[in-house]
Amino acid sequence: MKQGIKLELYRAFHNASFPIAVFLGSIITVVQFVFRVLPEMNNIVDTNLNLSYPLSVFNTCLMLDLGGFYSYLYYNAIMLIAVIPFGVSYYTDLREGYIKNVYTRMDRKGYLIGKYISVFVSAGFVCVIPLILNLLLTSMVMPSLLPQAATARFSIGGFAMLKEVFYTHPWIYIGIYLLIDFVMTGLFACMTLVVTKFVYNRYIVLFVPFLFFILVQTVAQFSYYNAAGPYFIMDASQTIWENLPTVIIEIVFLFLFTFITFYLMGGRKRDVL
């Protein structure tokens, strides 16, 4: 198993597509910095609202820019971008016969688990690296003042998830949401593994995580339980106030669905086409 995981992780991160995907995601976060954060440098204290508490990293960075266009664009686009490095690797392994060579050198279990982990981890890093870049850039020009709820300048309200953490340790709050974004992106990227056996067009495979993301988001909104929408779960500004049980249940469900479907129902039984 260790050999399979090591091999697949090496393939995931040592290919030209990984830096390209990170670059594409970084374009959005850098543009947000240039057109959203930099203009606020001369307006850190908003005299029009007669408020003396300055703007800070915690209400201007992409992750905490409440209702911002760039955050909405990023979290939707990342479902397409994150699968670029390794999302179709299982598809190409099957269709090009690579998997037959793999099975002569290692057991199926190691390959399949390694494949799942590599797709999950590579997609997660593609998501969080541009966000970290945006945080670093924003921190260079904006103060990191402790958020104060009474100023009404911050998106996290009285019923928001982890509100106590945000107003006491905002960097820990951001770290938790980076982890949530990492996990959610990785799990949606693993949808490519689920559909590979049934789809014979690699471009359709690439679009599946994005389409599934939109489907779940739409169903959640029309069922009037917006907190279950994956975009709202990933959005650290909590456009819709979240609750921890919903986040945990959705993550567990996505993991069980993608892993069981790929490994138990499909991968072990019909690996060679």
Side-chain angles (χ1 to χ4, degrees):
M1 182 185 299
K2 183 178 179 181
Q3 180 186 6
I5 295 173
K6 184 178 180 180
L7 174 63
E8 291 304 309
L9 284 174
Y10 181 88
R11 293 177 64 200
F13 289 99
H14 290 78
N15 68 79
S17 298
F18 183 79
I20 290 173
V22 172
F23 175 74
L24 291 175
S26 298
I27 290 175
I28 301 175
T29 61
V30 171
V31 168
Q32 190 272 348
F33 170 75
V34 172
F35 290 100
R36 171 71 178 92
V37 179
L38 287 182
E40 297 290 357
M41 289 179 60
N42 298 322
N43 194 32
I44 291 179
V45 176
D46 193 341
T47 55
N48 292 327
L49 294 177
N50 196 27
L51 294 172
S52 59
Y53 204 75
L55 292 172
S56 74
V57 175
F58 307 118
N59 53 12
T60 56
C61 70
L62 184 143
M63 292 181 67
L64 291 165
D65 187 10
L66 179 63
F69 164 75
Y70 296 104
S71 60
Y72 180 81
L73 173 64
Y74 182 80
Y75 286 118
N76 281 273
I78 203 64
M79 292 300 160
L80 283 171
I81 297 172
V83 298
I84 291 175
F86 215 52
V88 295
S89 62
Y90 186 48
Y91 176 94
T92 56
D93 287 357
L94 283 174
R95 268 64 185 185
E96 296 176 4
Y98 174 83
I99 198 169
K100 297 178 183 178
N101 297 324
V102 170
Y103 284 164
T104 63
R105 293 179 292 170
M106 69 180 70
D107 64 351
R108 296 186 178 194
K109 182 179 180 181
Y111 169 78
L112 294 172
I113 293 178
K115 180 66 70 179
Y116 187 92
I117 291 175
S118 60
V119 171
F120 174 85
V121 173
S122 61
F125 274 113
V126 169
C127 175
V128 301
I129 290 175
L131 293 175
I132 293 173
L133 173 62
N134 180 267
L135 284 168
L136 292 174
L137 292 173
T138 305
S139 298
M140 292 172 59
V141 299
M142 286 291 177
S144 299
L145 298 175
L146 189 68
Q148 300 293 329
T151 63
R153 284 200 163 199
F154 302 91
S155 63
I156 309 304
F159 295 96
M161 181 179 72
L162 302 174
K163 58 186 180 298
E164 297 88 354
V165 178
F166 177 77
Y167 286 107
T168 55
H169 300 90
W171 287 111
I172 294 179
Y173 177 88
I174 288 175
I176 293 172
Y177 259 92
L178 284 172
L179 179 61
I180 291 173
D181 292 351
F182 185 104
V183 172
M184 290 290 289
T185 305
L187 291 175
F188 272 95
C190 288
M191 286 298 302
T192 58
L193 302 174
V194 174
V195 302
T196 289
K197 292 295 184 62
F198 314 105
V199 176
Y200 288 84
N201 186 301
R202 63 186 301 159
Y203 298 105
I204 294 178
V205 173
L206 280 172
F207 272 91
V208 163
F210 173 74
L211 295 175
F212 189 65
F213 180 86
I214 296 297
L215 175 63
V216 176
Q217 181 68 29
T218 302
V219 171
Q221 289 184 262
F222 275 92
S223 64
Y224 300 102
Y225 194 61
N226 292 339
Y231 166 72
F232 295 129
I233 289 176
M234 297 175 68
D235 181 15
S237 68
Q238 295 195 52
T239 310
I240 299 295
W241 289 339
E242 290 294 333
N243 59 82
L244 195 56
T246 298
V247 176
I248 293 174
I249 289 171
E250 186 147 337
I251 287 174
V252 171
F253 171 79
L254 287 171
F255 169 71
L256 292 176
F257 175 73
T258 54
F259 184 77
I260 291 175
T261 305
F262 167 61
Y263 181 72
L264 295 180
M265 297 177 61
R268 270 196 320 188
K269 298 179 181 180
R270 303 187 306 273
D271 274 321
V272 181
L273 297 181

